[in-house]
Amino acid sequence: MNTKKHILDLSVAQVRELSAGYVEIHLRAADGKMPEMLPGQFVQVRVDGSPETFLRRPISVNLLTRTGAEGGACCDATGNDGAADELWLLVHAVGDGTRALARLQAGDTLNIVGPLGNGFTLPAEGADARPLLVGGGVGTAPLLFLGQELAARGVRPTFLLGGRREADIMQLEHFRRFGDVALTTEDGSAGERGFVTQHSLWRDAAYTQIYTCGPKLMMVNVARMARERGIPCEVSLENMMACGLGACLCCVENTVDGHVCVCTEGPVFDAKRLNIDH
Amino acid sequence: MSSLTTHIGALTLKNPVMTASGTFGYGLEFEDLVDLTRIGGIIVKGTTLEPRQGNPYPRMAETAHGMLNCVGLQNKGVDYFCKHIYPQIKDIDSQFVVNVSGSSPETYAECAARVAELERIEAIELNISCPNVRQGGMAFGTTCAGAASVVKAVRAVYPKTLIVKLSPNVTDITEIARAVEAEGADAVSLINTLMGMAIDAERQRPVLSIKTGGLSGPAVKPVALRMVWQVFEAVQIPIVGLGGIMNATDAVEFLLAGARAVEIGTANFIDPAVTVKVVDGINEYLDRHNCASVEDIIGAAH
């Protein structure tokens, strides 16, 4: 499915600091309408006000709230007055560019190119699906949007979210709105102690599809566990990018089909297509 | 409204703004975001006789006011271009130029001969300046004899407009420009990327998979402008100027230095619609300076 790409000047409606270094940015278009976007897609954000930052930053679509849509209750919890669609981005301030994004304030303008990339494969309408969505750190961002879409199709997903400590696990109140949530932390401060791949839910559950986004090593291990259980698995990659449009060929991943652009053929890949799962 | 039409050999461009190879795909990737028919010329990604996988990831490093890349000419080969891409672009009202690369004069020539058969492609840009491949590429573009050998082989089989893209990684770019002019090149384009590198201080290793890469973006503009200036004084054939152009003022500077057209590269990554803004900006500049035609400012700073 192809979505039309846009260059948009969006206005920042709200910036919420979720925990140290993590911000949730809510964006609105001047006409109140956000273009069609799919879970797993991303936008290329221009970073103004950071002389050190030259290239745009690819950021996953965290959530898309539609005015008057089912699930609009989600908006109330975060102060959306329902006057406009909102695009949410979850940003982890790790470098000059993302730190500049984290300094944005309500009323600022943010220029984006998007939506870009392919998105996750959604189960067919009416399918008896039991999806497991496994995320780590800021990689949980696209899984919220995916959970929203699954819930809208009458599918109740299970989220398995991991972090080093409790503060790394964000947006729990929203995840719980769309499905069941299981947690792991390395220090045991929330959920089970350990990594997502060590959680007890792997012992007994019969999932029909796994989606994962987070640190590469985590995704490699999740993909391996999915393969061992014979469950299809989609992996969302975040290779370094320049254009985001398939032109510069910088973000390539080595797949069974050779080098392919993560920005256009991904960021979501069937784990079987990747040479990561050895 | 001034005339923006410009000529590169027998190639007529509706305006002097082209896209640089490897930064704009085949144009189609940008179709949702910019009106391709408003761009003077679209130089498609580097094409070789055989498909190439390019270099391993990571291929990119962001640097101060620019970026390094070491893509290494990944492409699906000239046959794929002719069969699958050409039919999609041939009816778009812009000038599509194919950037041709190779590993020997023979493979350059064979690739060029295939492109020559495509009716709507009126020019090629010969890439003798890619810094990211072991064989060919810049190896030809850094000596007069090497550059001449490729141009001679291609000229023999390619009757349409032949633009030769020069490397800045040389002691004297004017010598190379003269050498390709002597072999019958219709124009030169300059500059390709400047060889550079980035090191990750924490990991204590080079960032790029093949350690070095080509620097592009506004950081290289003064170097590029100087070279266009020098080459303008050294050869008679038209010059296409590129290197770090981000806006119309940058483009005008290249025209004033002697370029008959410009290419916009890395700026497409920051603003996918930058090309049409540069076209509009050049037009506004010409109006403001009471110029009837873009021809009036080409080389005017000399």
Side-chain angles (χ1 to χ4, degrees), chain A:
Chain A
M1 183 155 133
N2 270 328
T3 45
K4 187 171 161 45
K5 304 177 191 91
H6 304 263
I7 304 174
L8 297 170
D9 275 322
L10 302 178
S11 77
V12 177
Q14 194 186 157
V15 181
R16 296 176 64 214
E17 184 167 11
L18 301 182
S19 63
Y22 292 97
V23 294
E24 181 187 283
I25 302 170
H26 300 192
L27 300 163
R28 294 181 178 195
D31 65 359
K33 301 232 180 321
M34 212 53 86
E36 186 190 9
M37 301 185 188
L38 307 173
Q41 289 189 308
F42 64 99
V43 296
Q44 279 275 61
V45 177
R46 194 180 71 208
V47 182
D48 300 329
S50 170
E52 301 83 4
T53 306
F54 179 64
L55 297 167
R56 286 176 180 260
R57 293 291 181 270
I59 311 277
S60 290
V61 177
N62 178 214
L63 199 66
L64 192 59
T65 63
R66 298 285 188 192
T67 50
E70 203 73 33
C74 169
C75 308
D76 303 339
T78 57
N80 185 343
D81 54 15
D85 297 346
E86 279 194 355
L87 165 65
W88 290 16
L89 304 179
L90 183 64
V91 173
H92 186 201
V94 288
D96 292 320
T98 44
R99 272 196 292 271
L101 294 176
R103 286 194 299 268
L104 283 168
Q105 295 182 341
D108 289 347
T109 299
L110 193 66
N111 182 275
I112 67 150
V113 177
L116 304 173
N118 59 354
F120 294 104
T121 309
L122 293 166
E125 294 283 350
D128 187 18
R130 281 199 63 197
L132 174 65
L133 284 58
V134 186
V138 74
T140 58
L143 302 183
L144 184 62
F145 187 22
L146 176 59
Q148 181 191 37
E149 284 296 308
L150 290 168
R153 289 171 175 238
V155 173
R156 187 165 176 84
T158 300
F159 299 100
L160 172 56
L161 310 177
R164 271 198 295 273
R165 55 193 190 286
E166 190 175 17
D168 293 328
I169 295 171
M170 290 152 291
Q171 301 184 303
L172 262 182
E173 72 279 23
H174 300 304
F175 283 109
R176 287 189 171 126
R177 208 177 291 277
F178 302 131
D180 302 313
V181 181
L183 304 177
T184 63
T185 50
E186 289 170 40
D187 68 358
S189 55
E192 296 183 14
R193 181 192 295 270
F195 300 112
V196 286
T197 44
Q198 296 168 316
H199 196 280
S200 57
L201 65 65
W202 290 99
R203 263 185 248 136
D204 50 19
Y207 297 104
T208 56
Q209 171 77 49
I210 291 172
Y211 305 97
T212 184
C213 184
K216 191 128 183 202
L217 186 61
M218 181 204 86
M219 293 194 290
V220 168
N221 287 321
V222 169
R224 178 177 46 76
M225 293 180 70
R227 192 196 55 199
E228 287 165 3
R229 287 160 177 75
I231 307 169
C233 180
E234 288 192 338
V235 172
S236 177
L237 302 180
E238 49 168 19
N239 293 9
M240 281 191 297
M241 282 176 196
C243 73
L245 297 164
C248 70
L249 309 185
C250 287
C251 65
V252 292
E253 179 70 18
N254 187 16
T255 70
V256 294
D257 308 311
H259 285 146
V260 302
C261 283
V262 168
C263 66
T264 49
E265 297 207 28
V268 178
F269 290 90
D270 185 327
K272 284 191 292 221
R273 211 182 154 200
L274 302 178
N275 290 318
I276 57 167
D277 182 19
H278 300 301

